[in-house]
Structures are given as structure tokens and as C-alpha cells.
Amino acid sequence: MYKLKKGTKCRICKSKGKNEKAIIYLPHHRLALCKIHFIEWFEKRIEKTIRNYQMFNKSDTILVAVSGGKDSLTLWNVLNNLGYNADGLYIDLGIDQYSIDSKNLSISFSKKIGRKLHIINLKEKLASIPELNKATNKPTCSACGTVKRYFMNKFAKESGYSIIATGHNLDDETAVLFGNTIHWNIDYLKRQYPVLKEERGFIRKVKPLCKITEKESALYAFFNNISYIEYECPFSEGASSIEYKRILSLLEENHPGTKLQFYTNFLKRMYPILSEEKHDDLKKCVVCGEPSYTQICSFCKLKENLPK
Ligand code: SF4
Ligand code: ZN
Ligand code: ZN
């Protein structure tokens, strides 16, 4: 965790005339905080992101994409504490023990906060991720992303949710931004924004944790006794995003604030230019009828590879 000089006091407590010791120092915000004020700061920062990007309001019905990891459970906890109407959706990917453990943790958490958790079993609907992995040449994480996005959108639409909220944090967003910049994936850069507006057949998608680091999210989960899956999915090994995260974290260590600057400056300076360009036309997939930018959506293309 971030280094804290001995004897540092919480800045907010100090401003109120109290003498509470800080337990965390956030160098990119130059802020030392005690436990109570860290939790308060964390939730306020998310609420500000929700407001600034007009993600949703208290009358919206929100579906949180729950994976059993720290970020999605933290997000669900914060939305619940802030009084938003948020249920969860867990997609059981059928990845052996990893899926069993993450599903159980998600179920326990939903009971703890008293919110509904919907569960989709991928093996019953299509095929498990290990089965998909055998059947297609597509990188596993890319196939997994395609099916998750497809079922999430379809389920939210059919069940009357107006918003899908995912737990992508600042580390995730900067790693994706870095990868998309290295490869100049303009089409992906055009869509990398904290809010993807609803569009003919697509539900609005939001990322309220986009300005929260992985470390801050882990600390919030720890302070709130949130039990989450602490080991990685076996398919994440060798993913380039992990390499990008490592490089960016090294930069962050030597120059605190690099990730936040990289991301926020992209949103302020680059995204408006890119988003002026016309997007590809949204159509209906000729096979399943779901929205797609191509004649046949990537989900149906993937499905074609599976044994009949
Ligand atoms: Fe899916 Fe890849 Fe994430 Fe595993 S690491 S859950 S395969 S996207
Ligand atoms: Zn304090
Ligand atoms: Zn389709």
C-alpha cells in the first residue's frame, strides 16, 4: 500500500480539530486519511463520477455485472450505500473451481446487502468458457467478453433494467487505453468512455469506478469486510492487459498521478475529437436480431464454431 510517514494525521479530522492518525496516503491526491474518512472520500468520489458523467439517478433500475471480484462487489456495495436501486447479475462461466468460488462469494454478498442476484449459467445457454476455448481460435478473453456483453445486454433488456454498471477501475481503463493507443485501435478508442449511451437495442453501460485505482478498491473492500475472490481466473495468464498494468504501475510509482492524468486527459482532450467522427451504423444481426455493427454479430459468429 502507499507509504505513509510515521505520525501523519488524517487531513479531514485535522480540519475538524481532531487528531486522528491517517492509515492511508493517496499520493496522486496528496491526501492522508483515517479509515472513516477514506470510506467517505471513496463513496463521494464515485458519486461525483456518476453525477459528472450523468450515468444514472435514483429512479433508474441498475444491473451490476457481478464477477465475485473486489471491484464489482465494491461497486455494488457503494451503489447500495448511496441509495441506488441496484441488483446484480452473475454469469457462471463454468471455469472449474474459479467459477464455483466466485459464484458462492457473489451469492453470499447479495444476501449480506439484501439485494437480488440473477444468475445465468453459460453452459446451459451456450457452452462453458473452457468448451468455447476448445471450439474457437478466438483468444479466450475476447470470446468471454463477447458472450458476457451479449447476455448482459439481453438480460437487462428483457428484465426491465435501464443501466448496466461494470466494475472497471482506473487500472483497467488505463491498461485498455494504453493497448488501444499502442495499436491505434481508433474504433475502440471512440467507444472508450465512462458512459456508453443507450442506442437502438443496447442498454446504457456505465463505469462508476473509472477514477478509482485497484489499490483503493481493494482497501475499501477490506475496510468493509467484503469477501471476494482473491485469485485470478486461470485464463488471465499471459493476457497483454496484465503486462500493460505492470508497466503503468511502474510509471505510477515513480510519478504518482500518471494513470489518472493519462485517462482524464484522454477523456478531456482526445475523446471529443474522436467521437466527432461518424460511428459505424448500428444494425440488427441477421441471425439473432440483437444490435450489431456488422451483418452477423460477434456472438453468432462465435456460436457458429460450436459443435451442433
Ligand atoms: Fe473471462 Fe478472460 Fe476474465 Fe477469465 S480472465 S473471466 S476468461 S475475460
Ligand atoms: Zn479522519
Ligand atoms: Zn447475432
Side-chain angles (χ1 to χ4, degrees):
M1 213 27 84
Y2 306 115
K3 284 184 203 100
L4 188 66
K5 277 190 207 141
K6 218 175 155 202
T8 309
K9 302 282 185 271
C10 166
R11 197 209 280 174
I12 299 175
C13 282
K14 219 161 119 189
S15 71
K16 291 180 177 169
K18 289 186 197 154
N19 219 6
E20 196 65 39
K21 260 201 212 155
I23 44 90
I24 182 170
Y25 177 60
L26 308 171
H28 48 298
H29 299 292
R30 299 203 180 135
L31 200 53
L33 296 170
C34 68
K35 177 180 165 180
I36 292 175
H37 286 122
F38 169 73
I39 294 174
E40 198 180 283
W41 171 86
F42 187 94
E43 295 189 350
K44 273 190 183 158
R45 186 157 173 80
I46 294 174
E47 188 152 43
K48 196 173 161 202
T49 307
I50 294 170
R51 245 196 344 261
N52 285 355
Y53 292 97
Q54 298 174 333
M55 292 185 169
F56 45 77
N57 54 47
K58 299 269 160 77
S59 63
D60 283 309
T61 46
I62 305 158
L63 190 63
V64 179
V66 173
S67 67
K70 66 178 182 324
D71 300 311
S72 58
L73 296 181
T74 282
L75 171 62
W76 202 7
N77 198 63
V78 173
L79 295 186
N80 198 42
N81 284 353
L82 293 175
Y84 289 104
N85 183 8
D87 290 333
L89 171 64
Y90 176 85
I91 301 185
D92 185 343
L93 304 169
I95 307 176
D96 310 319
Q97 199 57 38
Y98 175 77
S99 288
I100 296 170
D101 291 344
S102 56
K103 183 164 84 179
N104 287 339
L105 288 163
S106 304
I107 294 172
S108 309
F109 186 76
S110 75
K111 285 184 185 151
K112 185 176 152 191
I113 62 166
R115 297 291 325 197
K116 195 186 280 174
L117 177 71
H118 304 277
I119 297 177
I120 290 180
N121 188 321
L122 196 59
K123 195 175 166 65
E124 283 167 13
K125 294 265 178 194
L126 180 76
S128 68
I129 291 299
E131 285 166 344
L132 265 179
N133 183 41
K134 277 190 200 133
T136 74
N137 299 326
K138 217 175 165 175
T140 317
C141 291
S142 159
C144 182
T146 298
V147 293
K148 280 193 289 200
R149 279 191 297 275
Y150 180 88
F151 283 115
M152 240 187 281
N153 191 64
K154 200 165 184 293
F155 180 84
K157 226 172 15 176
E158 289 168 359
S159 312
Y161 290 95
S162 52
I163 311 284
I164 294 171
T166 59
H168 294 96
N169 60 38
L170 182 66
D171 294 62
D172 299 323
E173 289 305 292
T174 47
V176 172
L177 181 58
F178 191 58
N180 283 338
T181 307
I182 284 179
H183 298 105
W184 290 116
N185 285 329
I186 302 293
D187 281 343
Y188 291 149
L189 287 170
K190 270 194 235 171
R191 288 187 203 133
Q192 197 178 347
Y193 201 67
V195 182
L196 281 182
K197 290 216 175 101
E198 59 276 24
E199 213 180 340
R200 287 165 295 157
F202 277 130
I203 296 283
R204 187 187 312 172
K205 291 194 192 76
V206 298
K207 299 170 185 172
L209 300 191
C210 63
K211 293 195 179 168
I212 294 289
T213 67
E214 211 161 279
K215 285 179 183 172
E216 289 158 2
S217 171
L219 196 63
Y220 178 89
F222 174 71
F223 285 155
N224 285 282
N225 295 318
I226 296 173
S227 304
Y228 59 84
I229 186 131
E230 293 190 34
Y231 61 95
E232 298 291 337
C233 163
F235 290 106
S236 68
E237 218 175 289
S240 44
S241 59
I242 293 183
E243 184 85 51
Y244 298 153
K245 277 188 183 175
R246 215 177 298 134
I247 295 166
L248 289 164
S249 291
L250 198 71
L251 279 170
E252 181 74 27
E253 229 178 280
N254 296 330
H255 308 280
T258 301
K259 288 181 198 172
L260 197 58
Q261 269 184 36
F262 181 40
Y263 185 58
T264 50
N265 284 339
F266 164 76
L267 297 181
K268 270 192 227 146
R269 297 180 185 168
M270 199 62 209
Y271 180 80
I273 298 171
L274 292 173
S275 60
E276 268 176 18
E277 274 189 45
K278 206 178 166 298
H279 287 261
D280 298 335
D281 263 349
L282 192 59
K283 314 170 190 46
K284 270 190 176 182
C285 166
V286 293
V287 181
C288 70
E290 286 297 305
S292 169
Y293 290 100
T294 46
Q295 284 275 87
I296 300 178
C297 75
S298 36
F299 175 81
C300 288
K301 282 182 200 151
L302 198 65
K303 213 171 153 188
E304 275 172 7
N305 295 304
L306 286 170
K308 300 280 176 307

